[in-house]
Amino acid sequence: MTKTTTSAPVLGIRALNRATLDRQLLLRRSGLSAKAAVGHLLGLQAQNVKPPYHALAARLDGFTPEALSRLMADREVVRIVTMRSTIHTHTAEDCLTLRPLVQPARDRELTNFRKGLDGVDLDRLAVLARELVEAEPRTMKQLREALLAEWPDADPQSLAIAARCKLPLVQVTPRGLWGSSGQVALTTAEHWLGRPAEPVPAPDATVLRYLAAFGPASVKDMQTWAGLTRLREAFERLRPQLLTFRDENGVELFDLPDAPRPAEDTPAPPRLLPEFDNLLLSHADRTRVVPKEYWGRSWQGNQAYCTLLVDGFLAGVWRLTADALVVEPFGRLTRAQREDVTAEGERMLGTLHPGTPYDIRFGTVVGK
């Protein structure tokens, strides 16, 4: 531990929690537009269609699902595999810059499939796959079958994954539209957006944007968010213009000088977040949001649950049935907390399902 680190001010768990919630637009709903919010947050994790809509409903004042659908239909935001090899909803601008930035991680991912790609010329595969998806959007099944005709001895799934890793493939609409989503069909970002990808950028600008959305944070935190390694050099280049803190374990944290760091007793209203919300996945040390006793409680096997925040921390899960919003707290909620959660549930339902009658029930918590 360096002298600079040991002398830096300490930020406790609640201070980090409130700062991160503020950056994530979760302390109070923001008046940002849907597009501006997607840009500020550096994208929204989107394995499924609904999570980005729930994420913005929890963060924005006056949000309507049609606002995000319209952006997708107009190709101002897109769905593409970027950070952590997962699908994110990004602005068109970020799609063309962040995907090149995380390309080294996609190249590393390919090594997991080298057995199934024995004898495959990956550069030729990229050229052929580009021709296929730019002629017309293709499903993964169609892409597999077309590539298998060229390399019949290769593993079909590995061929399709190689195409996804080598090329910036976006999911074309109607996939991703609220209430009218179709199957996944892919084309290249350049073809869909009508402009070329940007050259691979230095990570410095993205470091600053990450801190604005997720800070204060360590180098390892950002590496976890991006799925990249070797970001220390970028932080060191930026050190003169950043503030440094340390957490209660002595880990060095970086932050923007003018970024909000609210008092740790700042009220944090309940929030209903989607499964895999970026808030829960974008730090190496997630205790700023997830109490240690609840680690692993927001998913079971491959099933991830939508999550409930109370007082800024993970406090339970929720689900929508045919006729009810069912909230399952991990611990006991006070009467006031239950009333606040109910009010937040009513607001979410009114935003995303206006005119549809739903009960709000508090159910049995999922097991450990």
Side-chain angles (χ1 to χ4, degrees):
M1 192 180 299
T2 66
K3 183 177 179 181
T4 302
T5 304
T6 56
S7 63
V10 174
L11 293 176
I13 291 293
R14 289 186 66 85
L16 287 173
N17 174 271
R18 290 326 194 237
T20 306
L21 291 180
D22 202 332
R23 321 288 172 90
Q24 283 287 301
L25 315 179
L26 289 167
L27 273 189
R28 67 198 69 79
R29 280 183 168 82
S30 169
L32 288 175
S33 68
K35 183 177 180 180
V38 172
H40 167 73
L41 297 167
L42 286 141
L44 301 167
Q45 193 147 329
Q47 279 98 321
N48 299 317
V49 169
K50 292 181 180 179
Y53 293 90
H54 284 286
L56 293 180
R59 289 169 164 90
L60 300 184
D61 189 30
F63 173 73
T64 64
E66 291 76 21
L68 183 57
S69 263
R70 191 161 51 249
L71 291 170
M72 288 192 176
D74 292 343
R75 308 189 188 190
E76 293 187 57
V77 303
V78 297
R79 293 166 55 85
I80 183 172
V81 172
T82 52
M83 285 83 71
R84 303 183 300 280
S85 193
T86 54
I87 299 165
H88 279 69
T89 295
H90 286 294
T91 65
E93 294 76 13
D94 279 348
C95 167
L96 296 170
T97 55
L98 288 178
R99 173 55 194 248
L101 178 68
V102 301
Q103 186 58 43
R106 302 290 68 73
D107 293 337
R108 285 200 310 275
E109 183 182 353
L110 267 176
T111 63
N112 298 326
F113 301 93
R114 57 184 178 270
K115 275 191 177 181
L117 296 169
D118 187 38
V120 175
D121 181 334
L122 292 177
D123 290 333
R124 173 162 168 66
L125 179 144
V127 170
L128 180 56
R130 180 181 291 276
E131 291 173 353
L132 288 165
V133 299
E134 290 186 351
E136 62 177 302
R138 310 275 179 152
T139 66
M140 286 291 273
K141 180 175 183 291
Q142 291 170 332
L143 199 50
R144 282 197 303 270
E145 291 173 350
L147 294 173
L148 195 61
E150 184 75 14
W151 292 282
D153 296 328
D155 172 61
Q157 185 67 13
S158 297
L159 288 171
I161 290 173
R164 192 193 72 175
C165 288
K166 295 290 287 184
L167 297 175
L169 297 179
V170 299
Q171 298 183 358
V172 305
T173 53
R175 182 68 176 178
L177 301 184
W178 185 255
S180 61
S181 189
Q183 66 177 338
V184 175
L186 305 163
T187 190
T188 63
E190 299 96 328
H191 186 71
W192 186 244
L193 299 174
R195 48 189 154 143
E198 298 292 329
V200 178
D204 301 39
T206 306
V207 169
L208 298 177
R209 291 182 63 198
Y210 171 77
L211 293 175
F214 295 97
S218 68
V219 175
K220 193 172 181 182
D221 285 332
M222 183 174 174
Q223 290 180 163
T224 297
W225 167 78
L228 293 173
T229 58
R230 302 178 181 177
L231 291 179
R232 167 65 65 179
E233 288 184 4
F235 277 83
E236 293 300 333
R237 284 193 299 271
L238 294 167
R239 183 184 289 275
Q241 65 190 78
L242 299 175
L243 297 181
T244 56
F245 300 90
R246 55 192 172 101
D247 68 15
E248 293 172 339
N249 297 315
V251 175
E252 185 176 36
L253 306 173
F254 294 84
D255 205 8
L256 306 174
D258 57 352
R261 287 177 290 277
E264 62 180 33
D265 61 351
T266 301
R271 291 290 184 257
L272 298 167
L273 300 180
E275 66 270 29
F276 298 118
D277 192 274
N278 297 45
L279 176 73
L280 303 179
L281 299 173
S282 300
H283 299 87
D285 182 355
R286 300 175 186 175
T287 55
R288 69 177 67 198
V289 179
V290 183
K292 290 181 179 178
E293 63 268 28
Y294 296 153
W295 178 245
R297 296 287 293 276
S298 60
W299 69 84
Q300 196 168 49
N302 292 326
Q303 171 66 48
Y305 299 105
C306 299
T307 51
L308 166 70
L309 299 185
V310 173
D311 189 30
F313 292 89
L314 176 67
V317 297
W318 63 273
R319 54 194 166 86
L320 205 58
T321 68
D323 63 351
L325 168 63
V326 181
V327 180
E328 301 179 340
F330 294 147
R332 184 178 180 82
L333 300 181
T334 66
R335 176 179 294 183
Q337 287 172 332
R338 287 170 69 97
E339 289 174 352
D340 287 345
V341 170
T342 299
E344 179 66 13
E346 290 172 346
R347 179 163 184 162
M348 182 271 285
L349 292 169
T351 297
L352 297 179
H353 306 281
T356 304
Y358 283 103
D359 290 335
I360 298 179
R361 304 171 189 157
F362 286 84
T364 304
V365 71
V366 294
K368 290 186 179 181

